[in-house]
Amino acid sequence: MPINVIETRGLVKDFGDFRAVDHLDLNIEEGKITGLLGPNGAGKTTTIQMLLDIITPTEGTIKIFGKEFPRFKEQALAKMNFSSPYVSLPTNLTVIENLLTFARLYSVPNPKKKIAELADFFEIQHLLPRITMSLSTGQLTRVNLTKAFINDPKLLLLDEATASLDPDIADKTRKALKKIQSERGVSILYTSHNMVEIEELCDYVIFINKGKIREEGTAKELVEKFGHKDLNDVFITIAREED
Amino acid sequence: MSFIRIYAIIMRHLYLYKGRSLPRFLDILFWPVVTILTWGFLSLYLNDINLSNLNFVSIILGAVIFWEITQRTQQSISIYFLEDVWEKNFLNIFVTPLTLAEFFSASFILGVIKIIITCAVLFVISFFLYHFNLFMLGFTLIPYVANLFLFGVSVALFINAIILRFGTSAQVLAFGVIFIIQPISAVYYPVSALPLWIQPVSSIIPVTHVFEAMRETMQGVPFNIQSFLIATFLNIAYLLVAWLFFKHMFASVKKKGLLLKVQN
């Protein structure tokens, strides 16, 4: 029986009269890359932020690694990490200073060795002494991913990790992600608006709209179910559907 | 409580001083030095014209240095907090196992480091230029400085909580609020010089009791234990209230989904 690293039951988030997340029951399986998809305002970011205890849910429960969250938050967050191009690292520190800071925040033993190993993998050795503000978008994404793997996370939340990257860098980033995920068996919850990327990366896909799960399954299953040629068309159909 | 996580936050801020930020060094040294020079020369002038038998250098420079401790503590803790607001770093650090208590322990230690450096410079300048030795207060200096520091921490916590809720539009508080407190804290003059109606307000400010006691000590009166106890009691109460207020604001910001927006 598959083990779930994330389980939410009846998860609700209201902002005043607006319901951003509406009784969401998520099951994110261990060791898989799960795509969380939906149009803008579907509730993806709010859901991810509730899974990181950045937003407090209005109702419902969250279990991460089988334990109540945020009750056991400190233990859970130590085994998790997060990356988004919309959340920057301090730009006035060098890359190595930023990575050392996060290695210490995650109590990584021998942080310099860990950084060297990851810098090698993500090909950022030459960027380590540079001031973060001097990096290009592609370089920043690789630094963010290095930070995301600094604590050998068991669960990684990636919010549009390849947004604003050119196709070449995006492809390299996806391949690097896929490689490191398969080597380490990390469970990844991945949001993206790039359906080609989702088809390439994700083992399982969950579509949400208006805060509710609309469809879930493998990319292939969903394409077949809707009778479309690809996931992009499935996305458009779900995004345009009414309640 | 994890010391390595506290160390991470301390180092994150100390890295900024590693040879690439002149304004940050000026923040530690420039204004305190300008202040001590201005008041120091004024004190010498007042002594020269011999208005009374008072030693203006002792009274005014003692007050200036003591006030710098409270003001610099508050401003440094608020500015360390603002650094993470300006750098949009809150989400990054609060999705790690870092706790609020660890975050503020780091700010507290950074405040102590900054105050030690600032005070060392002020002591040296006041000693060599004006022959004023604050160490003449002896061991009484420790409880005085501790109370001045704690009050700076409480005010900083309160201001940071408001910045957390209202974002950078409230950042002006980090630089201004402490100056509202200064005129009624009996920094340069005794409480008796204040209008009668404001004296009760002055008496509930912990540093008022420190400044009153400091002036007495400089005039040869033994250490006033009662003033010390009142100041300490008030400081503990304010620190507790400010901490609870910050935690309440943090919970409120998470409930409203504003933690990411506070940075914008």
Side-chain angles (χ1 to χ4, degrees):
Chain A
M1 191 178 161
I3 299 167
N4 291 329
V5 282
I6 299 176
E7 271 183 23
T8 72
R9 292 294 174 264
L11 197 64
V12 172
K13 184 61 200 177
D14 292 331
F15 293 111
D17 294 336
F18 175 68
R19 179 153 287 187
V21 174
D22 190 1
H23 294 94
L24 198 68
D25 295 339
L26 275 182
N27 295 302
I28 308 298
E29 218 178 291
E30 188 181 31
K32 298 272 173 70
I33 304 183
T34 305
L36 185 64
L37 311 182
N40 293 330
K44 304 184 297 289
T45 302
T46 303
T47 302
I48 284 190
Q49 291 192 11
M50 285 193 282
L51 297 174
L52 291 163
D53 195 36
I54 290 299
I55 289 182
T56 308
T58 308
E59 280 176 37
T61 60
I62 298 172
K63 277 188 179 176
I64 296 183
F65 305 118
K67 288 188 173 175
E68 273 177 58
F69 190 84
R71 192 168 163 215
F72 295 98
K73 174 182 159 177
E74 211 176 312
Q75 295 98 310
L77 289 178
K79 294 190 281 181
M80 293 165 69
N81 213 313
F82 166 75
S83 180
S84 165
Y86 308 116
V87 181
S88 58
L89 294 169
T91 55
N92 50 9
L93 296 185
T94 64
V95 172
I96 184 77
E97 288 166 351
N98 264 318
L99 293 174
L100 277 172
T101 300
F102 284 95
R104 289 172 186 140
L105 284 173
Y106 285 104
S107 308
V108 173
N110 202 345
K112 285 186 178 165
K113 190 178 165 210
K114 185 79 208 169
I115 291 166
E117 178 198 316
L118 286 169
D120 201 35
F121 183 85
F122 286 106
E123 298 175 18
I124 60 157
Q125 306 92 324
H126 61 296
L127 303 178
L128 293 178
R130 280 182 51 185
I131 290 280
T132 306
M133 72 173 72
S134 72
L135 304 185
S136 69
T137 313
Q139 290 169 334
L140 268 177
T141 300
R142 282 185 288 150
V143 170
N144 272 326
L145 286 173
T146 308
K147 176 244 146 195
F149 281 94
I150 200 97
N151 59 330
D152 284 326
K154 303 280 175 254
L155 171 62
L156 191 54
L157 309 183
L158 296 178
D159 192 12
E160 301 192 37
T162 59
S164 19
L165 295 182
D166 70 50
D168 175 46
I169 301 287
D171 181 61
K172 282 182 182 164
T173 305
R174 278 195 295 275
K175 286 193 166 63
L177 258 180
K178 193 78 182 170
K179 185 167 180 266
I180 201 165
Q181 189 272 339
S182 62
E183 281 173 8
R184 299 172 187 217
V186 188
S187 313
I188 298 179
L189 184 62
Y190 196 91
T191 76
S192 174
H193 286 133
N194 181 341
M195 295 302 115
V196 176
E197 175 171 279
I198 293 293
E199 283 185 276
E200 185 186 329
L201 266 182
C202 296
D203 304 300
Y204 197 77
V205 173
I206 299 170
F207 270 103
I208 64 170
N209 196 9
K210 295 172 184 159
K212 288 180 177 170
I213 294 180
R214 300 296 170 172
E215 293 293 340
E216 58 184 307
T218 64
K220 196 178 164 202
E221 283 168 358
L222 292 175
V223 170
E224 281 173 7
K225 181 178 175 183
F226 280 78
H228 290 318
K229 67 177 188 327
D230 57 28
L231 204 59
N232 204 50
D233 288 347
V234 176
F235 183 99
I236 291 168
T237 305
I238 293 172
R240 290 178 184 172
E241 74 182 4
E242 295 300 318
D243 275 325
Chain B
M1 187 80 86
S2 158
F3 292 106
I4 190 151
R5 294 199 290 258
I6 295 171
Y7 176 67
I9 297 296
I10 292 171
M11 288 309 293
R12 174 254 181 277
H13 289 285
L14 293 184
Y15 284 141
L16 296 170
Y17 293 93
K18 252 176 56 181
R20 59 173 176 267
S21 182
L22 187 63
R24 282 191 175 80
F25 278 105
L26 289 179
D27 179 54
I28 295 180
L29 301 176
F30 181 77
W31 291 113
V33 170
V34 167
T35 307
I36 200 85
L37 289 177
T38 308
W39 285 96
F41 288 123
L42 175 71
S43 310
L44 285 181
Y45 169 70
L46 291 173
N47 270 3
D48 283 349
I49 59 174
N50 201 14
L51 286 172
S52 70
N53 291 327
L54 287 174
N55 182 348
F56 288 102
V57 170
S58 298
I59 290 173
I60 293 180
L61 287 193
V64 167
I65 294 172
F66 271 23
W67 178 252
E68 281 291 318
I69 293 168
T70 299
Q71 183 197 325
R72 294 285 148 198
T73 300
Q74 178 270 308
Q75 288 186 344
S76 62
I77 291 176
S78 292
I79 289 169
Y80 289 129
F81 185 80
L82 277 168
E83 290 274 5
D84 283 317
V85 174
W86 294 327
E87 286 294 327
K88 305 182 178 187
N89 196 34
F90 270 129
L91 199 129
N92 275 325
I93 57 175
F94 284 117
V95 300
T96 71
L98 182 77
T99 63
L100 272 186
E102 289 161 357
F103 181 73
F104 268 103
S105 300
S107 304
F108 191 91
I109 294 167
L110 282 162
V112 171
I113 294 169
K114 202 164 177 181
I115 285 308
I116 288 172
I117 296 169
T118 305
C119 285
V121 172
L122 294 182
F123 288 159
V124 168
I125 291 175
S126 55
F127 184 77
F128 285 105
L129 277 184
Y130 309 112
H131 309 293
F132 170 66
N133 180 11
L134 199 64
F135 288 106
M136 71 183 178
L137 289 171
F139 285 109
T140 61
L141 200 56
I142 296 167
Y144 289 153
V145 168
N147 271 298
L148 295 164
F149 179 78
L150 284 181
F151 186 61
V153 173
S154 299
V155 178
L157 266 173
F158 182 77
I159 291 169
N160 293 359
I162 294 172
I163 293 171
L164 186 68
R165 173 65 185 79
F166 296 101
T168 47
S169 56
Q171 68 185 9
V172 68
L173 297 176
F175 305 96
V177 161
I178 198 79
F179 293 106
I180 299 169
I181 299 167
Q182 189 187 33
I184 52 171
S185 301
V187 178
Y188 301 110
Y189 38 80
V191 174
S192 56
L194 292 168
L196 273 178
W197 62 270
I198 214 162
Q199 289 183 15
V201 181
S202 177
S203 69
I204 57 167
I205 299 171
V207 293
T208 300
H209 302 277
V210 175
F211 285 107
E212 292 279 78
M214 180 268 291
R215 273 187 291 271
E216 286 175 5
T217 311
M218 283 186 174
Q219 286 162 25
V221 177
F223 177 64
N224 187 334
I225 188 81
Q226 193 188 356
S227 293
F228 165 69
L229 289 175
I230 294 170
T232 306
F233 172 78
L234 287 171
N235 262 325
I236 291 169
Y238 287 150
L239 198 58
L240 189 66
V241 170
W243 174 242
L244 293 175
F245 180 61
F246 186 87
K247 281 183 77 169
H248 168 76
M249 282 302 215
F250 194 75
S252 163
V253 159
K254 274 170 48 178
K255 202 172 164 188
K256 291 173 196 284
L258 295 174
L259 197 57
L260 197 57
K261 290 176 184 146
V262 75
Q263 308 171 145
N264 301 320

